C-alpha cells in the first residue's frame, strides 16, 4: 500500500459493517503503513478508548485522531442494544480530517508507537500551515497526550511524545484567555426562538408545524446550557418529575449524569413538540406510571423517528440565525450550538448567579472552566480604553 494514501487502510478496516459487529481486516488489506502488527495496534487503541463510558467522548477522540467511528461504536454496541438508546450518525469529515494524527503518521510510513516529540511538533506545524486555529491545535494535542499517557502507563511506549512544553509552542492557555465564541445576549436568544417558530420548514402544513415546534424545542433546550452532544443524546424517558419539579437527566462528559431543571420555556416547548409528534404518529403515550415504551425513543427525532445528529441541529441553528432579523445582523454565520451554551453561562453570571450553581447546571468539572466565561461581565464601562483614547486626543500636537 502506498504511503501517500491517507490511512485508507483504516477506512478499509471499518468497511461497511454495522457498528455492533466486530471489525477485522478487510479483504486485500494486510497492513497499516509503517505498522507491522495493525491488529495489535488497533487493540491497544480500543483498550484506551474503552475506558470512556460516554460514547460521545469515544467518538470525539476517535474522530480527532482519524480513526473509523465504527471501531468505537462497536465498543458499546451490546450495551446500546440492551438499553435501546440509539447512536446519532457520525459527522462528515471536516477540512482537517486528513491531517488527523494517525492519517499523518500513515503518510510518513510511521508506526505511531515509534513517534517522538520531533514527529509531534512536525504534525503541529502541518496543522498550523493548514489553517488550524490555536484552540484546535490545543485540543488535538490534548487528545494525543491523553492517548500516549495511557500507552506509556501500559508499557506500550517508553514515554509520552505529546507531553510538550505548550508555552514554547504558543499553545498555552489560562482561564483568562478570551473565548472566540460569539457572545449572545438574552434579546438575541429570544430572536432565535421567534425565528425558529416562524421559518417555513415544509410545503406540507402538517409537517411544517411539527418541524417548527421541533426547531423551537431545539433552541429552547440549548438555552439551558446543554452541550449539543447532550441534546442529541436525550431520550423521552430522560424527562421526568422529581421533588415537584420537571427535570432532564442529562448524560454528560465522562459518562456522568446530572439533573437539569426545566424552565417554563423549555417545558412548554417540549410538551408542544412531543404532543404534535405523537398526534401525527397516532401513538400518543398515556400518562406515565413508572416507565413506558416511549421512554427509550429519541427526544428529538427525524421524520422517520431516528435520532437527530449534531450536524442536523448545527445546520438547523445556522438557518434559524440567518432568518432572525436585525438582532443577529453580522453574527448569524458565527452562531453555533456552543454559542448558546456560552450565552447561558455569561448571562447567568451577569445576573449575579452563584458560580457554583452555574457550574452544576452546565456540568463543568471545575470552577476554573466556568470562570473562563466570566468575560461576560466585561462592558464598555469596565474598560480603560476610552480613558486612553481621551488622553491621546487631549495631548498637545
Amino acid at each position: 500500500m502506498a504511503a501517500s494514501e491517507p490511512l485508507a487502510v483504516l477506512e478499509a478496516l471499518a468497511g461497511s459493517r454495522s457498528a455492533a459487529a466486530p471489525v477485522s481486516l478487510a479483504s486485500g488489506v494486510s497492513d497499516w503503513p509503517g505498522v507491522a502488527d495493525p491488529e495489535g495496534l488497533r487493540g491497544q487503541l480500543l483498550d484506551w478508548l474503552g475506558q470512556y463510558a460516554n460514547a460521545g467522548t469515544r467518538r470525539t477522540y476517535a474522530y480527532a485522531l482519524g480513526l473509523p467511528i465504527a471501531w468505537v461504536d462497536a465498543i458499546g454496541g451490546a450495551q446500546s442494544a440492551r438499553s435501546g438508546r440509539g447512536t446519532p450518525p457520525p459527522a462528515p469529515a471536516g477540512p482537517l480530517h486528513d491531517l488527523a494524527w494517525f492519517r499523518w503518521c500513515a503518510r510518513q510510513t510511521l508506526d505511531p508507537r515509534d513517534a517522538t516529540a520531533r514527529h509531534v511538533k512536525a504534525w503541529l506545524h502541518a496543522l498550523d500551515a493548514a489553517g488550524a486555529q490555536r484552540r484546535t491545535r490545543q485540543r488535538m494535542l490534548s487528545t494525543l497526550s491523553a492517548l500516549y499517557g495511557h500507552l506509556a502507563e501500559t508499557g506500550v511506549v517508553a514515554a509520552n511524545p505529546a507531553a510538550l512544553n505548550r508555552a514554547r509552542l504558543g499553545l498555552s492557555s489560562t482561564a483568562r484567555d478570551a473565548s472566540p465564541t460569539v457572545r449572545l445576549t438574552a434579546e438575541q436568544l429570544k430572536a432565535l426562538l421567534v425565528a425558529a417558530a416562524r421559518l417555513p420548514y415544509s410545503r406540507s402544513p402538517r409537517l411544517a408545524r411539527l418541524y417548527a415546534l421541533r426547531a423551537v424545542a431545539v433552541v429552547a433546550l440549548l438555552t439551558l446550557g446543554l452541550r449539543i452532544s447532550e441534546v442529541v443524546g436525550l431520550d423521552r424517558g430522560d424527562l421526568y418529575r422529581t421533588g415537584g419539579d420537571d427535570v432532564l437527566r442529562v448524560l454528560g462528559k465522562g459518562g456522568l449524569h446530572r439533573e437539569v431543571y426545566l424552565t417554563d420555556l423549555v417545558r412548554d416547548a417540549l410538551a408542544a413538540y412531543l404532543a404534535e409528534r405523537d398526534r401525527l404518529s397516532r401513538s400518543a403515550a398515556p400518562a406515565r406510571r413508572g416507565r413506558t415504551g416511549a421512554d427509550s425513543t429519541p427526544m428529538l427525532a427525524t421524520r422517520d423517528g431516528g435520532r437527530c445528529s449534531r450536524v442536523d441541529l448545527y445546520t438547523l441553528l445556522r438557518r434559524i440565525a440567518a432568518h432572525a432579523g436585525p438582532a443577529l445582523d453580522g453574527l448569524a454565520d458565527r452562531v453555533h450550538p456552543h454559542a448558546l451554551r456560552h450565552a447561558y453561562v455569561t448571562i447567568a453570571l451577569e445576573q449575579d448567579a452563584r458560580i457554583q450553581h452555574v457550574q452544576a447546571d452546565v456540568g463543568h468539572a471545575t470552577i476554573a472552566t466556568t470562570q473562563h466565561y466570566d468575560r461576560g461581565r466585561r462592558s464598555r464601562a469596565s474598560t480603560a480604553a476610552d480613558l486612553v483614547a481621551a488622553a491621546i486626543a487631549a495631548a498637545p500636537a
Side-chain angles (χ1 to χ4, degrees):
M1 176 174 292
S4 61
E5 294 179 356
L7 209 55
V9 64
L10 289 185
E11 309 297 353
L13 282 169
S16 59
R17 303 168 191 272
S18 66
V23 182
S24 61
L25 289 171
S27 175
V29 178
S30 59
D31 67 340
W32 178 336
V35 178
D37 59 332
E39 284 289 1
L41 175 57
R42 175 176 170 268
Q44 292 158 355
L45 296 177
L46 294 184
D47 178 56
W48 169 63
L49 289 167
Q51 297 179 109
Y52 298 97
N54 190 315
T57 301
R58 296 195 298 266
R59 281 180 154 220
T60 298
Y61 283 172
Y63 178 85
L65 293 168
L67 298 172
I69 298 300
W71 284 15
V72 293
D73 284 351
I75 294 175
Q79 181 177 357
S80 296
R82 287 195 301 270
S83 66
R85 186 184 292 268
T87 304
L96 297 174
H97 192 52
D98 282 341
L99 278 176
W101 172 248
F102 287 115
R103 294 169 179 268
W104 184 88
C105 288
R107 286 197 177 93
Q108 319 303 315
T109 322
L110 171 68
D111 187 325
R113 294 164 295 189
D114 295 332
T116 65
R118 178 177 62 83
H119 293 117
V120 176
K121 291 176 184 177
W123 169 65
L124 289 170
H125 287 314
L127 288 170
D128 189 18
Q133 298 297 311
R134 183 170 69 94
R135 286 176 177 270
T136 299
R137 285 176 280 137
Q138 284 176 335
R139 288 194 296 270
M140 295 178 82
L141 180 59
S142 294
T143 300
L144 196 62
S145 185
L147 164 63
Y148 278 106
H150 170 78
L151 295 180
E153 288 177 1
T154 54
V156 175
V157 300
N160 183 348
L164 303 173
N165 187 315
R166 301 191 182 193
R168 293 177 183 173
L169 294 170
L171 297 178
S172 61
S173 63
T174 68
R176 295 183 180 180
D177 287 346
S179 170
T181 302
V182 61
R183 178 185 170 192
L184 298 176
T185 65
E187 290 76 15
Q188 288 168 329
L189 294 184
K190 185 175 182 179
L192 289 172
L193 286 163
V194 172
R198 293 178 176 174
L199 266 180
Y201 295 97
S202 173
R203 294 181 180 179
S204 165
R206 60 194 294 272
L207 292 178
R209 173 172 168 75
L210 174 67
Y211 294 158
L213 290 172
R214 183 181 64 183
V216 172
V218 168
V219 178
L221 284 167
L222 290 172
T223 66
L224 291 176
L226 303 183
R227 299 178 179 92
I228 188 62
S229 58
E230 295 170 346
V231 172
V232 298
L234 287 172
D235 283 342
R236 292 185 66 163
D238 293 324
L239 172 61
Y240 57 93
R241 290 183 66 82
T242 180
D245 294 303
D246 292 313
V247 300
L248 284 172
R249 185 171 185 259
V250 176
L251 179 61
K253 285 186 175 180
L256 301 177
H257 286 90
R258 70 181 187 279
E259 286 186 340
V260 174
Y261 288 89
L262 265 61
T263 60
D264 291 344
L265 165 67
V266 178
R267 182 177 59 249
D268 293 347
L270 284 177
Y273 163 61
L274 294 174
E276 180 67 6
R277 195 169 109 194
D278 287 339
R279 186 183 71 81
L280 291 181
S281 65
R282 296 187 177 89
S283 60
R288 290 180 295 164
R289 290 176 178 262
R291 303 188 68 81
T292 73
D295 288 352
S296 60
T297 60
M299 181 73 75
L300 300 171
T302 60
R303 181 175 180 177
D304 60 1
R307 191 176 299 275
C308 292
S309 71
R310 286 182 287 184
V311 175
D312 292 334
L313 301 193
Y314 179 95
T315 303
L316 173 62
L317 188 59
R318 275 294 174 88
R319 184 185 173 198
I320 293 170
H323 291 81
L328 273 295
D329 279 353
L331 297 176
D333 61 349
R334 297 175 58 197
V335 173
H336 51 81
H338 186 72
L340 278 74
R341 175 174 168 82
H342 188 279
Y344 178 88
V345 179
T346 56
I347 293 172
L349 294 176
E350 286 171 350
Q351 299 300 313
D352 294 321
R354 292 183 61 182
I355 196 168
Q356 294 89 346
H357 294 170
V358 181
Q359 176 195 8
D361 289 344
V362 298
H364 284 157
T366 66
I367 287 289
T369 304
T370 313
Q371 287 173 329
H372 176 74
Y373 293 80
D374 204 27
R375 74 179 184 119
R377 293 176 181 268
R378 294 278 290 166
S379 67
R380 194 167 193 86
S382 64
T383 177
D386 290 334
L387 297 177
V388 174
I392 294 172

